[in-house]
Amino acid sequence: MKNSWAYWIGGVIVLAGVLAGLLRHVPQSNTGPGARNLGIAPTTKVPDIKAVNNVPVVTGFKGDVEDGGILQNDGTKIPFVIGDTLKLEADTLNAMEYRWVVDGQVIKDKDQEWSNKPDREWDVTSGGDHVFTVQVRGSDPTQMSQVREKTVKTEKLFITSFEANITEEEDRALVGSDYTVEVSMADPLTADADFYRYRYSINEEVIKHPEDGEEWTTESSLTYTFPSAGKYSFKVEVRRATEKNTEATATLAQTIEVADAVLLKFDAYPDNTAALGTTVNLDSFPTSSFGKSEVRFGVRRIDAADFDWIPEQDGTVWGDSERDWHPTEPGTYIVRAEIREPGKPDCDDHRELKYTITEGGF
């Protein structure tokens, strides 16, 4: 019996020693006083990550350099021209000083290459490709960004439009009538009324100014009186007042048809297509130098050679400016309207349109 008690007491002492050793290696928990963490990692707070990299960076260009021209509401872009002044700007991080270079030449600020002024100004004095670079440095002057570069193309001058005055018809005019064309330029802020010179040509013949007989003028529009029937094309050449030779040219988009009587418009209703059995109304807008004119309308299948002229109710072919067409076969047709002054054997002007007749019931 004494030996049994001795074994039991010894076992308790050994077990107590093992537990003491285990508890000595278990870390204290920070979840509460006196508590122990049974193998679970402590819930210590991780500190917030803070930016320690203050290296200066140029992230991109903005403004004039980024746009590369003057953006328009319709999405087009007018290039910078001689006489424009560009503002040089860039997006940066950790920048304290800036250095701008254009075409290898430093753009200084108060005779300093590096300046805390972020932007510069640069005047366009020539057309072509120009390379813009910018570099920044931080509070430590030895910490500099990589050089950022962009190429912008400029023009000596730029014609934004050359077209007929808004009051003119699109591509028709009467003999003896006046026709006005107008030039619009990309005008720099430094331009004045005499900045550009214009020279106009009609059918490749230079038109001299009526007052001084000179070919070049400061006027950005030309009014011309058509002397006879025919086709007329308009061209303008432009240069700066400081130059002697042409620097830009533009041609009117349409050739103007001139006659004693013309058709300003020609339409069909329904538009473009109708089912067989439909009455197609043909309508024109004629005008004449003498106030009188007559019109005839013809149709032909697209693979036929001759027109079938649609008669008036009295059987005559020449007549009013409106006519009804009653197609008898499906297919694709050319529909033609002609105008002449009474008594002339041939027409003065004509217009055509393509029309499709589809299968249909009467």
PDB file of all heavy atoms in Angstrom, residues 96-122:
ATOM      1  N   MET A  96       9.339  70.514 -57.162  1.00  0.00           N
ATOM      2  CA  MET A  96       9.606  71.825 -56.575  1.00  0.00           C
ATOM      3  C   MET A  96      10.123  72.816 -57.611  1.00  0.00           C
ATOM      4  O   MET A  96       9.852  74.004 -57.532  1.00  0.00           O
ATOM      5  CB  MET A  96      10.632  71.682 -55.436  1.00  0.00           C
ATOM      6  CG  MET A  96      10.152  70.797 -54.292  1.00  0.00           C
ATOM      7  SD  MET A  96       8.734  71.502 -53.422  1.00  0.00           S
ATOM      8  CE  MET A  96       9.500  72.903 -52.627  1.00  0.00           C
ATOM      9  N   GLU A  97      10.843  72.308 -58.621  1.00  0.00           N
ATOM     10  CA  GLU A  97      11.382  73.162 -59.672  1.00  0.00           C
ATOM     11  C   GLU A  97      11.205  72.491 -61.033  1.00  0.00           C
ATOM     12  O   GLU A  97      11.168  71.257 -61.126  1.00  0.00           O
ATOM     13  CB  GLU A  97      12.866  73.466 -59.414  1.00  0.00           C
ATOM     14  CG  GLU A  97      13.098  74.334 -58.183  1.00  0.00           C
ATOM     15  CD  GLU A  97      14.567  74.677 -58.023  1.00  0.00           C
ATOM     16  OE1 GLU A  97      15.403  73.740 -58.051  1.00  0.00           O
ATOM     17  OE2 GLU A  97      14.884  75.870 -57.881  1.00  0.00           O
ATOM     18  N   TYR A  98      11.147  73.339 -62.075  1.00  0.00           N
ATOM     19  CA  TYR A  98      10.797  72.860 -63.411  1.00  0.00           C
ATOM     20  C   TYR A  98      11.814  73.387 -64.423  1.00  0.00           C
ATOM     21  O   TYR A  98      12.292  74.525 -64.319  1.00  0.00           O
ATOM     22  CB  TYR A  98       9.405  73.328 -63.810  1.00  0.00           C
ATOM     23  CG  TYR A  98       8.322  72.942 -62.824  1.00  0.00           C
ATOM     24  CD1 TYR A  98       8.175  73.634 -61.613  1.00  0.00           C
ATOM     25  CD2 TYR A  98       7.451  71.887 -63.085  1.00  0.00           C
ATOM     26  CE1 TYR A  98       7.201  73.281 -60.705  1.00  0.00           C
ATOM     27  CE2 TYR A  98       6.456  71.533 -62.185  1.00  0.00           C
ATOM     28  CZ  TYR A  98       6.347  72.237 -60.992  1.00  0.00           C
ATOM     29  OH  TYR A  98       5.367  71.882 -60.091  1.00  0.00           O
ATOM     30  N   ARG A  99      12.058  72.575 -65.450  1.00  0.00           N
ATOM     31  CA  ARG A  99      12.964  72.969 -66.531  1.00  0.00           C
ATOM     32  C   ARG A  99      12.326  72.559 -67.863  1.00  0.00           C
ATOM     33  O   ARG A  99      12.068  71.380 -68.106  1.00  0.00           O
ATOM     34  CB  ARG A  99      14.329  72.304 -66.377  1.00  0.00           C
ATOM     35  CG  ARG A  99      15.369  72.706 -67.427  1.00  0.00           C
ATOM     36  CD  ARG A  99      16.698  72.028 -67.106  1.00  0.00           C
ATOM     37  NE  ARG A  99      17.759  72.447 -67.991  1.00  0.00           N
ATOM     38  CZ  ARG A  99      18.104  71.827 -69.122  1.00  0.00           C
ATOM     39  NH1 ARG A  99      17.429  70.740 -69.500  1.00  0.00           N
ATOM     40  NH2 ARG A  99      19.087  72.259 -69.872  1.00  0.00           N
ATOM     41  N   TRP A 100      12.064  73.566 -68.719  1.00  0.00           N
ATOM     42  CA  TRP A 100      11.423  73.323 -70.018  1.00  0.00           C
ATOM     43  C   TRP A 100      12.428  73.563 -71.140  1.00  0.00           C
ATOM     44  O   TRP A 100      13.216  74.520 -71.097  1.00  0.00           O
ATOM     45  CB  TRP A 100      10.231  74.256 -70.217  1.00  0.00           C
ATOM     46  CG  TRP A 100       9.003  73.871 -69.445  1.00  0.00           C
ATOM     47  CD1 TRP A 100       8.666  74.265 -68.185  1.00  0.00           C
ATOM     48  CD2 TRP A 100       7.952  73.024 -69.889  1.00  0.00           C
ATOM     49  NE1 TRP A 100       7.468  73.719 -67.811  1.00  0.00           N
ATOM     50  CE2 TRP A 100       7.002  72.940 -68.845  1.00  0.00           C
ATOM     51  CE3 TRP A 100       7.712  72.329 -71.061  1.00  0.00           C
ATOM     52  CZ2 TRP A 100       5.836  72.199 -68.944  1.00  0.00           C
ATOM     53  CZ3 TRP A 100       6.549  71.587 -71.166  1.00  0.00           C
ATOM     54  CH2 TRP A 100       5.626  71.519 -70.127  1.00  0.00           C
ATOM     55  N   VAL A 101      12.351  72.691 -72.159  1.00  0.00           N
ATOM     56  CA  VAL A 101      13.217  72.811 -73.328  1.00  0.00           C
ATOM     57  C   VAL A 101      12.369  72.605 -74.580  1.00  0.00           C
ATOM     58  O   VAL A 101      11.545  71.683 -74.631  1.00  0.00           O
ATOM     59  CB  VAL A 101      14.364  71.769 -73.296  1.00  0.00           C
ATOM     60  CG1 VAL A 101      15.227  71.892 -74.547  1.00  0.00           C
ATOM     61  CG2 VAL A 101      15.205  71.940 -72.045  1.00  0.00           C
ATOM     62  N   VAL A 102      12.545  73.465 -75.581  1.00  0.00           N
ATOM     63  CA  VAL A 102      11.847  73.330 -76.861  1.00  0.00           C
ATOM     64  C   VAL A 102      12.893  73.309 -77.972  1.00  0.00           C
ATOM     65  O   VAL A 102      13.692  74.250 -78.088  1.00  0.00           O
ATOM     66  CB  VAL A 102      10.841  74.470 -77.105  1.00  0.00           C
ATOM     67  CG1 VAL A 102      10.105  74.249 -78.430  1.00  0.00           C
ATOM     68  CG2 VAL A 102       9.844  74.561 -75.958  1.00  0.00           C
ATOM     69  N   ASP A 103      12.875  72.239 -78.745  1.00  0.00           N
ATOM     70  CA  ASP A 103      13.826  72.087 -79.860  1.00  0.00           C
ATOM     71  C   ASP A 103      15.266  72.288 -79.394  1.00  0.00           C
ATOM     72  O   ASP A 103      16.085  72.917 -80.081  1.00  0.00           O
ATOM     73  CB  ASP A 103      13.498  73.068 -80.991  1.00  0.00           C
ATOM     74  CG  ASP A 103      12.136  72.793 -81.621  1.00  0.00           C
ATOM     75  OD1 ASP A 103      11.690  71.633 -81.548  1.00  0.00           O
ATOM     76  OD2 ASP A 103      11.542  73.719 -82.187  1.00  0.00           O
ATOM     77  N   GLY A 104      15.564  71.776 -78.201  1.00  0.00           N
ATOM     78  CA  GLY A 104      16.931  71.854 -77.688  1.00  0.00           C
ATOM     79  C   GLY A 104      17.291  73.159 -77.017  1.00  0.00           C
ATOM     80  O   GLY A 104      18.399  73.295 -76.480  1.00  0.00           O
ATOM     81  N   GLN A 105      16.387  74.125 -76.980  1.00  0.00           N
ATOM     82  CA  GLN A 105      16.659  75.417 -76.367  1.00  0.00           C
ATOM     83  C   GLN A 105      15.888  75.543 -75.054  1.00  0.00           C
ATOM     84  O   GLN A 105      14.668  75.367 -75.012  1.00  0.00           O
ATOM     85  CB  GLN A 105      16.269  76.555 -77.305  1.00  0.00           C
ATOM     86  CG  GLN A 105      16.543  77.937 -76.727  1.00  0.00           C
ATOM     87  CD  GLN A 105      16.177  79.057 -77.701  1.00  0.00           C
ATOM     88  OE1 GLN A 105      15.743  78.792 -78.814  1.00  0.00           O
ATOM     89  NE2 GLN A 105      16.343  80.297 -77.270  1.00  0.00           N
ATOM     90  N   VAL A 106      16.600  75.849 -73.979  1.00  0.00           N
ATOM     91  CA  VAL A 106      15.973  75.990 -72.669  1.00  0.00           C
ATOM     92  C   VAL A 106      15.101  77.239 -72.639  1.00  0.00           C
ATOM     93  O   VAL A 106      15.525  78.320 -73.059  1.00  0.00           O
ATOM     94  CB  VAL A 106      17.037  76.071 -71.563  1.00  0.00           C
ATOM     95  CG1 VAL A 106      16.367  76.283 -70.199  1.00  0.00           C
ATOM     96  CG2 VAL A 106      17.875  74.806 -71.541  1.00  0.00           C
ATOM     97  N   ILE A 107      13.862  77.084 -72.147  1.00  0.00           N
ATOM     98  CA  ILE A 107      12.954  78.214 -71.970  1.00  0.00           C
ATOM     99  C   ILE A 107      13.125  78.697 -70.524  1.00  0.00           C
ATOM    100  O   ILE A 107      12.616  78.068 -69.588  1.00  0.00           O
ATOM    101  CB  ILE A 107      11.494  77.823 -72.260  1.00  0.00           C
ATOM    102  CG1 ILE A 107      11.381  77.119 -73.610  1.00  0.00           C
ATOM    103  CG2 ILE A 107      10.591  79.047 -72.204  1.00  0.00           C
ATOM    104  CD1 ILE A 107      11.845  77.947 -74.786  1.00  0.00           C
ATOM    105  N   LYS A 108      13.849  79.771 -70.346  1.00  0.00           N
ATOM    106  CA  LYS A 108      14.210  80.208 -69.004  1.00  0.00           C
ATOM    107  C   LYS A 108      13.112  81.046 -68.363  1.00  0.00           C
ATOM    108  O   LYS A 108      12.281  81.651 -69.054  1.00  0.00           O
ATOM    109  CB  LYS A 108      15.513  81.017 -69.053  1.00  0.00           C
ATOM    110  CG  LYS A 108      16.727  80.202 -69.505  1.00  0.00           C
ATOM    111  CD  LYS A 108      17.975  81.060 -69.499  1.00  0.00           C
ATOM    112  CE  LYS A 108      19.198  80.245 -69.942  1.00  0.00           C
ATOM    113  NZ  LYS A 108      20.442  81.057 -69.921  1.00  0.00           N
ATOM    114  N   ASP A 109      13.138  81.081 -67.052  1.00  0.00           N
ATOM    115  CA  ASP A 109      12.267  81.954 -66.270  1.00  0.00           C
ATOM    116  C   ASP A 109      13.160  82.925 -65.522  1.00  0.00           C
ATOM    117  O   ASP A 109      13.898  82.535 -64.611  1.00  0.00           O
ATOM    118  CB  ASP A 109      11.420  81.133 -65.295  1.00  0.00           C
ATOM    119  CG  ASP A 109      10.584  82.004 -64.379  1.00  0.00           C
ATOM    120  OD1 ASP A 109      10.000  82.986 -64.879  1.00  0.00           O
ATOM    121  OD2 ASP A 109      10.531  81.706 -63.165  1.00  0.00           O
ATOM    122  N   LYS A 110      13.133  84.182 -65.921  1.00  0.00           N
ATOM    123  CA  LYS A 110      13.985  85.211 -65.314  1.00  0.00           C
ATOM    124  C   LYS A 110      15.461  84.792 -65.356  1.00  0.00           C
ATOM    125  O   LYS A 110      16.177  84.839 -64.342  1.00  0.00           O
ATOM    126  CB  LYS A 110      13.551  85.501 -63.894  1.00  0.00           C
ATOM    127  CG  LYS A 110      12.112  86.024 -63.786  1.00  0.00           C
ATOM    128  CD  LYS A 110      11.696  86.255 -62.342  1.00  0.00           C
ATOM    129  CE  LYS A 110      10.257  86.760 -62.263  1.00  0.00           C
ATOM    130  NZ  LYS A 110       9.815  86.954 -60.849  1.00  0.00           N
ATOM    131  N   ASP A 111      15.867  84.337 -66.530  1.00  0.00           N
ATOM    132  CA  ASP A 111      17.258  83.926 -66.791  1.00  0.00           C
ATOM    133  C   ASP A 111      17.671  82.672 -66.028  1.00  0.00           C
ATOM    134  O   ASP A 111      18.865  82.336 -65.995  1.00  0.00           O
ATOM    135  CB  ASP A 111      18.240  85.063 -66.455  1.00  0.00           C
ATOM    136  CG  ASP A 111      18.065  86.267 -67.381  1.00  0.00           C
ATOM    137  OD1 ASP A 111      17.712  86.050 -68.553  1.00  0.00           O
ATOM    138  OD2 ASP A 111      18.271  87.401 -66.920  1.00  0.00           O
ATOM    139  N   GLN A 112      16.715  81.972 -65.441  1.00  0.00           N
ATOM    140  CA  GLN A 112      17.034  80.749 -64.713  1.00  0.00           C
ATOM    141  C   GLN A 112      16.500  79.530 -65.458  1.00  0.00           C
ATOM    142  O   GLN A 112      15.336  79.512 -65.876  1.00  0.00           O
ATOM    143  CB  GLN A 112      16.423  80.788 -63.303  1.00  0.00           C
ATOM    144  CG  GLN A 112      16.916  81.935 -62.444  1.00  0.00           C
ATOM    145  CD  GLN A 112      18.412  81.844 -62.160  1.00  0.00           C
ATOM    146  OE1 GLN A 112      18.927  80.763 -61.817  1.00  0.00           O
ATOM    147  NE2 GLN A 112      19.099  82.968 -62.297  1.00  0.00           N
ATOM    148  N   GLU A 113      17.359  78.500 -65.624  1.00  0.00           N
ATOM    149  CA  GLU A 113      16.903  77.270 -66.274  1.00  0.00           C
ATOM    150  C   GLU A 113      15.918  76.530 -65.389  1.00  0.00           C
ATOM    151  O   GLU A 113      14.890  76.034 -65.867  1.00  0.00           O
ATOM    152  CB  GLU A 113      18.102  76.367 -66.591  1.00  0.00           C
ATOM    153  CG  GLU A 113      19.000  76.879 -67.697  1.00  0.00           C
ATOM    154  CD  GLU A 113      19.963  75.814 -68.189  1.00  0.00           C
ATOM    155  OE1 GLU A 113      19.762  74.623 -67.868  1.00  0.00           O
ATOM    156  OE2 GLU A 113      20.922  76.166 -68.899  1.00  0.00           O
ATOM    157  N   TRP A 114      16.222  76.424 -64.097  1.00  0.00           N
ATOM    158  CA  TRP A 114      15.334  75.772 -63.129  1.00  0.00           C
ATOM    159  C   TRP A 114      14.574  76.859 -62.375  1.00  0.00           C
ATOM    160  O   TRP A 114      15.152  77.850 -61.936  1.00  0.00           O
ATOM    161  CB  TRP A 114      16.121  74.919 -62.145  1.00  0.00           C
ATOM    162  CG  TRP A 114      16.691  73.672 -62.763  1.00  0.00           C
ATOM    163  CD1 TRP A 114      17.925  73.522 -63.297  1.00  0.00           C
ATOM    164  CD2 TRP A 114      16.032  72.423 -62.897  1.00  0.00           C
ATOM    165  NE1 TRP A 114      18.091  72.250 -63.772  1.00  0.00           N
ATOM    166  CE2 TRP A 114      16.939  71.535 -63.539  1.00  0.00           C
ATOM    167  CE3 TRP A 114      14.771  71.942 -62.554  1.00  0.00           C
ATOM    168  CZ2 TRP A 114      16.622  70.227 -63.834  1.00  0.00           C
ATOM    169  CZ3 TRP A 114      14.449  70.624 -62.840  1.00  0.00           C
ATOM    170  CH2 TRP A 114      15.368  69.779 -63.477  1.00  0.00           C
ATOM    171  N   SER A 115      13.279  76.669 -62.220  1.00  0.00           N
ATOM    172  CA  SER A 115      12.444  77.656 -61.551  1.00  0.00           C
ATOM    173  C   SER A 115      11.283  76.967 -60.865  1.00  0.00           C
ATOM    174  O   SER A 115      10.815  75.909 -61.310  1.00  0.00           O
ATOM    175  CB  SER A 115      11.925  78.679 -62.569  1.00  0.00           C
ATOM    176  OG  SER A 115      10.908  79.491 -62.005  1.00  0.00           O
ATOM    177  N   ASN A 116      10.822  77.572 -59.770  1.00  0.00           N
ATOM    178  CA  ASN A 116       9.642  77.004 -59.100  1.00  0.00           C
ATOM    179  C   ASN A 116       8.348  77.366 -59.821  1.00  0.00           C
ATOM    180  O   ASN A 116       7.268  76.940 -59.415  1.00  0.00           O
ATOM    181  CB  ASN A 116       9.582  77.454 -57.639  1.00  0.00           C
ATOM    182  CG  ASN A 116       9.530  78.969 -57.498  1.00  0.00           C
ATOM    183  OD1 ASN A 116       9.401  79.692 -58.484  1.00  0.00           O
ATOM    184  ND2 ASN A 116       9.654  79.451 -56.261  1.00  0.00           N
ATOM    185  N   LYS A 117       8.437  78.148 -60.891  1.00  0.00           N
ATOM    186  CA  LYS A 117       7.274  78.430 -61.721  1.00  0.00           C
ATOM    187  C   LYS A 117       7.018  77.209 -62.616  1.00  0.00           C
ATOM    188  O   LYS A 117       7.880  76.837 -63.416  1.00  0.00           O
ATOM    189  CB  LYS A 117       7.515  79.665 -62.582  1.00  0.00           C
ATOM    190  CG  LYS A 117       6.316  80.049 -63.432  1.00  0.00           C
ATOM    191  CD  LYS A 117       6.623  81.272 -64.299  1.00  0.00           C
ATOM    192  CE  LYS A 117       5.428  81.614 -65.178  1.00  0.00           C
ATOM    193  NZ  LYS A 117       5.700  82.768 -66.062  1.00  0.00           N
ATOM    194  N   PRO A 118       5.828  76.589 -62.524  1.00  0.00           N
ATOM    195  CA  PRO A 118       5.613  75.319 -63.235  1.00  0.00           C
ATOM    196  C   PRO A 118       5.435  75.449 -64.740  1.00  0.00           C
ATOM    197  O   PRO A 118       5.663  74.497 -65.481  1.00  0.00           O
ATOM    198  CB  PRO A 118       4.348  74.755 -62.592  1.00  0.00           C
ATOM    199  CG  PRO A 118       3.617  75.964 -62.080  1.00  0.00           C
ATOM    200  CD  PRO A 118       4.684  76.922 -61.663  1.00  0.00           C
ATOM    201  N   ASP A 119       5.003  76.617 -65.238  1.00  0.00           N
ATOM    202  CA  ASP A 119       4.708  76.733 -66.659  1.00  0.00           C
ATOM    203  C   ASP A 119       5.623  77.759 -67.317  1.00  0.00           C
ATOM    204  O   ASP A 119       6.290  78.562 -66.658  1.00  0.00           O
ATOM    205  CB  ASP A 119       3.234  77.124 -66.868  1.00  0.00           C
ATOM    206  CG  ASP A 119       2.882  78.425 -66.158  1.00  0.00           C
ATOM    207  OD1 ASP A 119       3.249  79.495 -66.669  1.00  0.00           O
ATOM    208  OD2 ASP A 119       2.255  78.372 -65.073  1.00  0.00           O
ATOM    209  N   ARG A 120       5.619  77.712 -68.672  1.00  0.00           N
ATOM    210  CA  ARG A 120       6.360  78.680 -69.467  1.00  0.00           C
ATOM    211  C   ARG A 120       5.488  79.075 -70.656  1.00  0.00           C
ATOM    212  O   ARG A 120       4.451  78.465 -70.918  1.00  0.00           O
ATOM    213  CB  ARG A 120       7.675  78.096 -70.000  1.00  0.00           C
ATOM    214  CG  ARG A 120       8.619  77.554 -68.955  1.00  0.00           C
ATOM    215  CD  ARG A 120       9.361  78.659 -68.212  1.00  0.00           C
ATOM    216  NE  ARG A 120      10.465  78.093 -67.442  1.00  0.00           N
ATOM    217  CZ  ARG A 120      10.334  77.537 -66.230  1.00  0.00           C
ATOM    218  NH1 ARG A 120       9.135  77.482 -65.672  1.00  0.00           N
ATOM    219  NH2 ARG A 120      11.384  77.051 -65.598  1.00  0.00           N
ATOM    220  N   GLU A 121       5.934  80.077 -71.411  1.00  0.00           N
ATOM    221  CA  GLU A 121       5.277  80.446 -72.664  1.00  0.00           C
ATOM    222  C   GLU A 121       6.280  80.347 -73.800  1.00  0.00           C
ATOM    223  O   GLU A 121       7.472  80.629 -73.622  1.00  0.00           O
ATOM    224  CB  GLU A 121       4.701  81.862 -72.582  1.00  0.00           C
ATOM    225  CG  GLU A 121       3.479  81.964 -71.677  1.00  0.00           C
ATOM    226  CD  GLU A 121       2.820  83.335 -71.751  1.00  0.00           C
ATOM    227  OE1 GLU A 121       3.462  84.263 -72.301  1.00  0.00           O
ATOM    228  OE2 GLU A 121       1.677  83.471 -71.287  1.00  0.00           O
ATOM    229  N   TRP A 122       5.760  79.932 -74.975  1.00  0.00           N
ATOM    230  CA  TRP A 122       6.630  79.754 -76.143  1.00  0.00           C
ATOM    231  C   TRP A 122       5.902  80.265 -77.376  1.00  0.00           C
ATOM    232  O   TRP A 122       4.745  79.914 -77.624  1.00  0.00           O
ATOM    233  CB  TRP A 122       6.988  78.280 -76.310  1.00  0.00           C
ATOM    234  CG  TRP A 122       7.852  77.993 -77.504  1.00  0.00           C
ATOM    235  CD1 TRP A 122       9.181  78.242 -77.644  1.00  0.00           C
ATOM    236  CD2 TRP A 122       7.436  77.390 -78.723  1.00  0.00           C
ATOM    237  NE1 TRP A 122       9.628  77.833 -78.871  1.00  0.00           N
ATOM    238  CE2 TRP A 122       8.569  77.298 -79.568  1.00  0.00           C
ATOM    239  CE3 TRP A 122       6.214  76.913 -79.202  1.00  0.00           C
ATOM    240  CZ2 TRP A 122       8.521  76.765 -80.849  1.00  0.00           C
ATOM    241  CZ3 TRP A 122       6.156  76.373 -80.478  1.00  0.00           C
ATOM    242  CH2 TRP A 122       7.296  76.304 -81.288  1.00  0.00           C
TER     243      TRP A 122
END
